[in-house]
Amino acid sequence: MDMNRDKIERPYVPYEPLATVLPVVKPATSRSRKVKILLVLLTAAATFGLNHCWRGLDTDLPSSTPSTRADPPEFDWNALEPAKTIRWTSCYSGQKCARLLLPLDYGTPDGPTTAIALRMLPATDKVNYKGPMLINPGGPGGSGTDLVARAGKNISAIVGPSFDILGFDPRGIGASTPSASCFESDSQRQLWELQEDHRLLNASDGSVDIARARQTLLGQRCEQKIGGEWGIARFMSTPDVARDMLEISQQLGHEKLQYWGFSYGSILGQYFSAIYPDKVGRVIIDGVYDGHNYRGALWNSNLADTDAVIDSFFTFCHQAGPEKCALYDSTPAKIRARFFAVLHAVEAQPVSIPNAEPPVLVTRKVLQSQLFRATYKPLAQFVVVADTVYALESGNQTALAALAPKIVPPTECKCADLEPWLASNEAFSPIACGDGDEIVYDREAYAKYYENLVASSQLAGPLWANSYLKCAEWRVRPKWRWTGPLGAKNTSHPLLLVSPRYDPVCPLSDAQAVQDRYAGSGLLIQESVGHCTLAAPSLCTAKHIRAYMENGTLPKAGTVCGVDELPFVGAVQDVRALSVEDTELLEAMKGLSAAVPTFGFGGL
Ligand SMILES: *[C@@H]1O[C@H](CO)[C@@H](O)[C@H](O)[C@H]1NC(C)=O
Ligand SMILES: *[C@@H]1O[C@H](CO)[C@@H](O)[C@H](O)[C@H]1NC(C)=O
Ligand SMILES: *[C@@H]1O[C@H](CO)[C@@H](O)[C@H](O)[C@H]1NC(C)=O
Ligand SMILES: *[C@@H]1O[C@H](CO)[C@@H](O)[C@H](O)[C@H]1NC(C)=O
Ligand SMILES: *[C@@H]1O[C@H](CO)[C@@H](O)[C@H](O)[C@H]1NC(C)=O
């Protein structure tokens, strides 16, 4: 029964065109050709009739759970016949969708396949047409088709109308099939999540044993559901996805990749550029995680700047004043003291919100998680944390009841409502743990690991420490694991790295380490807090990104971009002083922070 623990690793599969397997599609003909679509009506039994639950939609959970959905599930992905070449069909008013059949294992091109879901917002400037730009929202486990739904138009406003914005669901994710789901339904997954320990993870009590046991159970269950010789779990590794991206680009007539990847998407960009250095057209990686730390399955370089983001909560609250921040006080230190007083109070005595629907109990873990989630998108969520802490401090039950869904993301049962492609997944482990070195749990080593994480960030450490346990209890090994260098002496075009000054899970120091490994790459720093540069609108960043995409130009070394909006404080400059174009661009960027990707935070 141990066949999943296959140790065979192919260190390097050189790029071989799939032309022998897949008919080569000439771009000019494929674009103009009338696409013939065969609609296959699937039996309802296969896809419907399941009970589905999802978390409240306004909570922006930074987990692999999709948090905001721009579209109702009006497009039936299952009705789209997968094909070995990209055949676009119209979908979602003005967009294009396709399902692309690719080999599960590139080493067995005639073997079993996976159908990759593609969703594209077509370029509107056909005169200066520059081809597709692929996007990846991170996770791992995030859906690219969903990112197009939530932010495609806004991303297009940044890179310009000459690019198609192309989201794809990586293997096992979203509308790609087979799905990396270890549960029968989303409601079943939610019920499992509700059994989670109410204590924070702490290496000096029994909470680690429970967290570990949960990961062991989940790992075993996944092994049964998606493991096995040809199970999807063995074929979701990042080198496989990088190869898929190359195939997608080339089928669309572009020899080289154009790409913007966020968060885990920065890992995907690093792998791609290392494996196919001569296929780099434009590669932007945003919110950069160190590929070496990732491949070690360590997850311990992430929190270097988390506390700086948390500190900014206090300073921006103070700067904004009492009108804009409920927790305002005469100094940032006083605001901080009030925050910690409330945190310790709920630890000693959890606060109940009996009139919320559903009722909510505020524990230390709940409050700490709310703050950590908010560090991903301070513009949208710092205010909510301030309101919550103020309401707790003043014991205002009316306010607490209203805030409850933003304190504990509610689990709602929506029976038979959720299409499979909107459901959550267990993709994190097959991807991140599979890409990573095998780790064996050792109590003492883990205690030390935990201590170090907590030393980086006292508040985020206990929440982050779960990723390591996930990988320690994950047994399925990928068929293709990349063990070659994660860097390149030369790429066919230099990479552009972009990083906030303070990112809660992808620190600037990681971006700098990665920059050193990819010769000639540029690094743009955005003077912001939050996860990835999307977390704060910046006309300056947008213009550099556009210049890179359009003309290939890198910002000058040492370029730092200011932002146009600050948490609590609001707009930095007078919009009346902006040109019409800039006003529109800024408008498109605002609210993009709601689309900020999720990242390896499955522990909540
Ligand atoms: C873990 O528990 C110990 C003992 O109760 C406590 O002193 C310590 O502060 C806890 N660690 C964290 C990070 O909460
Ligand atoms: C409690 O909060 C509600 C809603 O935010 C507000 O209208 C009310 O004035 C608050 N009550 C007190 C006593 O502050
Ligand atoms: C890097 O590769 C490009 C083309 O791929 C080539 O023109 C250039 O000379 C190479 N640079 C170095 C330093 O090898
Ligand atoms: C690209 O280069 C052209 C020619 O130098 C210039 O006019 C244009 O403004 C550049 N585009 C961007 C976005 O910088
Ligand atoms: C996207 O841009 C449009 C304007 O172009 C704006 O109205 C909308 O609020 C933006 N949405 C997000 C999520 O940023």
Side-chain angles (χ1 to χ4, degrees):
M1 284 306 294
D2 228 6
M3 65 183 165
N4 294 326
R5 307 207 59 185
D6 188 341
K7 299 279 186 336
I8 299 170
E9 286 169 2
R10 278 181 294 149
Y12 180 60
V13 175
Y15 166 67
E16 288 162 27
L18 266 183
T20 49
V21 193
L22 308 172
V24 175
V25 181
K26 289 266 162 35
T29 51
S30 77
R31 294 193 70 78
S32 56
R33 186 184 55 188
K34 278 245 161 62
V35 186
K36 188 179 165 210
I37 292 109
L38 295 172
L39 292 181
V40 175
L41 297 174
L42 299 179
T43 52
T47 46
F48 303 107
L50 303 173
N51 290 336
H52 299 294
C53 286
W54 71 75
R55 303 226 190 204
L57 295 181
D58 61 343
T59 52
D60 300 325
L61 245 202
S63 72
S64 57
T65 310
S67 54
T68 43
R69 293 290 178 186
D71 293 305
E74 72 223 13
F75 181 73
D76 186 357
W77 284 94
N78 284 323
L80 198 54
E81 194 199 22
K84 290 189 170 185
T85 53
I86 296 173
R87 298 185 194 161
W88 294 118
T89 187
S90 296
C91 58
Y92 302 106
S93 55
Q95 301 186 11
K96 301 282 179 201
C97 294
R99 291 172 77 201
L100 175 62
L101 273 184
L102 293 174
L104 264 188
D105 174 16
Y106 279 97
T108 316
D110 295 323
T113 55
T114 168
I116 303 297
L118 310 176
R119 174 169 172 171
M120 183 170 85
L121 183 67
T124 51
D125 181 353
K126 304 288 183 193
V127 177
N128 301 302
Y129 180 66
K130 291 201 161 58
M133 181 183 79
L134 278 65
I135 53 178
N136 179 282
S143 154
T145 62
D146 180 55
L147 184 60
V148 170
R150 288 186 291 142
K153 291 201 171 107
N154 305 65
I155 289 173
S156 173
I158 297 171
V159 299
S162 48
F163 292 92
D164 303 314
I165 308 301
L166 199 164
F168 66 100
D169 289 342
R171 293 158 173 248
I173 294 165
S176 290
T177 53
S179 169
S181 174
C182 308
F183 293 93
E184 292 300 318
S185 63
D186 237 33
S187 58
Q188 204 187 57
R189 175 180 296 106
Q190 298 290 343
L191 294 172
W192 164 248
E193 285 173 6
L194 288 172
Q195 292 177 47
E196 198 180 87
D197 201 336
H198 285 264
R199 292 172 296 177
L200 283 161
L201 205 53
N202 187 327
S204 56
D205 62 27
S207 59
V208 173
D209 297 324
I210 291 188
R212 220 187 123 216
R214 282 177 61 81
Q215 295 304 337
T216 309
L217 183 153
L218 193 58
Q220 285 168 348
R221 193 179 164 93
C222 286
E223 217 165 319
Q224 285 161 14
K225 295 262 179 195
I226 60 171
E229 193 186 354
W230 286 104
I232 186 70
R234 293 188 71 217
F235 303 96
M236 295 172 65
S237 68
T238 298
D240 275 323
V241 179
R243 181 66 185 79
D244 292 346
M245 293 205 296
L246 186 59
E247 189 61 31
I248 292 165
S249 286
Q250 296 193 335
Q251 281 211 17
L252 295 173
H254 288 262
E255 191 54 27
K256 293 175 185 169
L257 177 73
Q258 305 185 119
Y259 172 75
W260 190 355
F262 304 95
S263 195
Y264 158 78
S266 78
I267 296 286
L268 181 54
Q270 288 168 61
Y271 272 71
F272 182 93
S273 307
I275 304 174
Y276 309 111
D278 58 335
K279 303 294 179 202
V280 174
R282 303 275 188 273
V283 168
I284 306 174
I285 56 178
D286 190 341
V288 182
Y289 178 26
D290 177 351
H292 286 180
N293 194 275
Y294 170 83
R295 193 163 62 182
L298 294 171
W299 299 90
N300 64 356
S301 66
N302 308 90
L303 304 183
D305 291 337
T306 321
D307 283 2
V309 183
I310 292 173
D311 283 344
S312 81
F313 174 92
F314 308 117
T315 50
F316 286 129
C317 175
H318 176 255
Q319 188 182 328
E323 298 280 296
K324 291 178 172 170
C325 179
L327 213 57
Y328 172 81
D329 213 319
S330 55
T331 64
K334 282 189 181 159
I335 301 170
R336 165 192 281 277
R338 283 169 63 191
F339 173 84
F340 277 96
V342 169
L343 191 65
H344 291 131
V346 297
E347 184 175 24
Q349 179 70 63
V351 171
S352 56
I353 313 179
N355 295 330
E357 304 296 345
V360 156
L361 190 66
V362 184
T363 60
R364 177 171 177 144
K365 181 175 183 177
V366 160
L367 199 54
Q368 210 161 305
S369 302
Q370 188 199 40
L371 175 67
F372 186 34
R373 289 200 304 270
T375 63
Y376 280 59
K377 27 189 111 174
L379 281 187
Q381 298 196 340
F382 272 5
V383 165
V384 179
V385 176
D387 289 348
T388 302
V389 174
Y390 181 67
L392 286 166
E393 193 181 51
S394 53
N396 185 334
Q397 278 290 339
T398 312
L400 284 173
L403 285 163
K406 291 177 172 173
I407 301 173
V408 175
T411 299
E412 285 174 53
C413 280
K414 299 270 180 181
C415 296
D417 241 356
L418 203 54
E419 305 297 354
W421 48 88
L422 297 179
S424 207
N425 59 57
E426 277 64 57
F428 179 91
S429 298
I431 300 173
C433 306
D435 283 339
D437 294 331
E438 276 183 278
I439 45 181
V440 178
Y441 178 78
D442 173 87
R443 183 178 293 270
E444 272 172 37
Y446 185 72
K448 206 161 198 68
Y449 172 88
Y450 176 89
E451 219 173 87
N452 287 335
L453 266 191
V454 170
S456 296
S457 175
Q458 194 206 345
L459 295 179
L463 297 164
W464 197 253
N466 207 33
S467 302
Y468 185 94
L469 295 178
K470 249 187 195 323
C471 289
E473 301 308 318
W474 182 255
R475 300 280 174 265
V476 182
R477 299 305 291 170
K479 182 82 184 291
W480 181 14
R481 185 175 170 247
W482 175 251
T483 53
L486 275 176
K489 292 204 176 70
N490 190 15
T491 49
S492 46
H493 195 80
L495 277 65
L496 173 58
L497 286 69
V498 287
S499 175
R501 172 75 67 190
Y502 297 117
D503 186 302
V505 289
C506 292
L508 181 56
S509 47
D510 275 21
Q512 286 160 339
V514 171
Q515 187 193 13
D516 286 344
R517 293 178 203 138
Y518 292 84
S521 61
L523 171 61
L524 170 70
I525 299 173
Q526 177 174 294
E527 213 49 84
S528 63
V529 294
H531 187 30
C532 302
T533 61
L534 291 186
S538 162
L539 285 173
C540 169
T541 301
K543 284 172 183 176
H544 282 293
I545 288 197
R546 188 156 178 167
Y548 175 78
M549 287 305 297
E550 259 184 22
N551 293 341
T553 43
L554 288 175
K556 282 201 193 73
T559 301
V560 175
C561 275
V563 291
D564 297 291
E565 194 176 343
L566 294 171
F568 291 120
V569 177
V572 170
Q573 55 175 315
D574 188 349
V575 285
R576 286 168 306 183
L578 295 176
S579 68
V580 177
E581 261 182 10
D582 281 358
T583 309
E584 280 173 11
L585 181 54
L586 198 53
E587 206 44 53
M589 297 188 81
K590 280 185 190 169
L592 254 183
S593 72
V596 162
T598 59
F599 185 58
F601 190 23
L604 259 189

